[in-house]
Amino acid sequence: MGKELDGLGYLPLHIILSKLSPSDIIKVSCANKRLRGSASDESLWAQICYQELQLSTPQDDHGNPLPCFMLAYQLWREAFSMYPWPLVKRVKRCWDKLKKWFNNNFPEAEATLRRGASESDIEQLQTLLKVKLPLPTRLLYRFHDGQELPDKKNPATASSSLLGIIGGYSFYNHSVNVYLLPLHQVIAKTRYVIRYLGFSSRSKCIVVASSFTFSRKLFFLNCTNGQLFVGTRKPLTDGEMIPCVPNTLIRSVHDLYGEEQQDAMLLWLEEHGRRLENGIIKVRKEGDDRSINLFPEVPPLCVTTVTNGVQVRASAVFVPEFADLLDEADKFMFAYSIRMSLLPEGCVINGMTFVSCQLNRRHWIIRADGEVVSSVDDEAVIGEYPLLHPGEGEFVYQSCAPLPSPSGSIEGHFTFVPGRLADPRGGPFEVQVARFPLEMPDYVF
């Protein structure tokens, strides 16, 4: 084969080499001096590095610049030689997609990502906690050792507690925002829940993600089977935790030679990236603070209705930390977000246009498994009577609803008056809110 290739011109030889795998290119380079030179061509290795690692400049796995792409590829393969190469490429793609989205939409959160952990860091965790991390999770930490965490003791850094890359939600006095923990915090948090919360060390579960607001929300990785769980109101037994990823998708979590190794951590982060890329969840600004908000923003999970110029958007999110799996009446908790605004054309009733309207009452019908379990008819929303004007930002409020089952819905209407309640310019009118789902999802965040 070497002799046959040696007789080819530069262009056909380059085309043939570009069709070979990196290992075959290395073999060809051993044939003679000319082929060694062709197999070392910078454009050839630039193409390989881009196809396999999405590298547009030569750099090592820590982002340090290198003189050429061939060396970059070599160092990447050496750095991850103990892992299946297809899994390395998949984990890198996962992080690349997340970081691209954060760079474009939420750079202050991207800045909290730590440099990758070393193999010795991982071995130390495994020794101290007496666990063996699933292969995909090990690789996830090799690329980024979680996030830099906010200083909860310093009030001046309160806004930094909302930079968790998983995000969260708030309603009433409950607020969560979830961070990926660095390895040293995985050790500290896991030891804490074992020592003070009675969590069993025999479960082989470690705390990998946590809210850093004043409301608790913990995610536990089972290092034996690779499933990720979220704590409920009573998280101290496996029966009181909820799986975050469908069990059927998890496979080969410790098998170096298996096909398509994937644990819940990798699947969870890939799904999170998909939701961010598709605009299902977005960054929301409240006051001076920005955070990833887990209330869905697009259909079918978010519904939009317009009545007389008043637009209402509504969606809900499952709240696992308030679930009580032993409570027959209120097993599952859902938070819902209502966003209302007056369109630029104003409030239009029977051909007449008004420059404002104000909410007076609300009416909700709440269902579980298709059956009505609650009906609400009362004044105001969370004690407020929002006054809407054309072109202003949305009035947003959150509330919650417990259900006896993991599937339900809410629908209803608001009663408004044109003008102001203190100075109505016409009779009351109803603004419809289309039915929106309350569903425990396959992926729980």
Side-chain angles (χ1 to χ4, degrees), residues 232-234 238-242 318 322-328 330-332 440:
T232 62
R233 189 183 292 271
K234 302 172 183 176
D238 286 349
E240 282 294 301
M241 296 197 298
I242 294 173
F318 176 55
F322 276 0
D324 187 343
L325 303 182
L326 300 181
D327 187 329
E328 290 300 322
D330 298 331
K331 277 188 179 183
F332 303 94
M440 189 172 82

Side-chain angles (χ1 to χ4, degrees), residues 14 18 22 25 38-59 67-73:
H14 182 83
S18 68
I25 293 174
S38 298
S40 302
D41 185 85
E42 181 71 351
S43 64
L44 178 65
W45 288 98
Q47 177 182 325
I48 291 170
C49 283
Y50 185 78
Q51 289 175 342
E52 296 204 6
L53 297 166
Q54 291 77 54
L55 293 180
S56 55
T57 59
Q59 56 185 258
C68 66
F69 281 104
M70 186 175 181
L71 177 60
Y73 189 82

Side-chain angles (χ1 to χ4, degrees), residues 17 36 104 159 187 267 274 277 300 331 430:
L17 290 175
R36 183 162 57 251
N104 292 333
S159 62
I187 295 169
L267 290 163
R274 184 191 71 82
E277 277 190 326
K331 277 188 179 183
E430 293 182 356

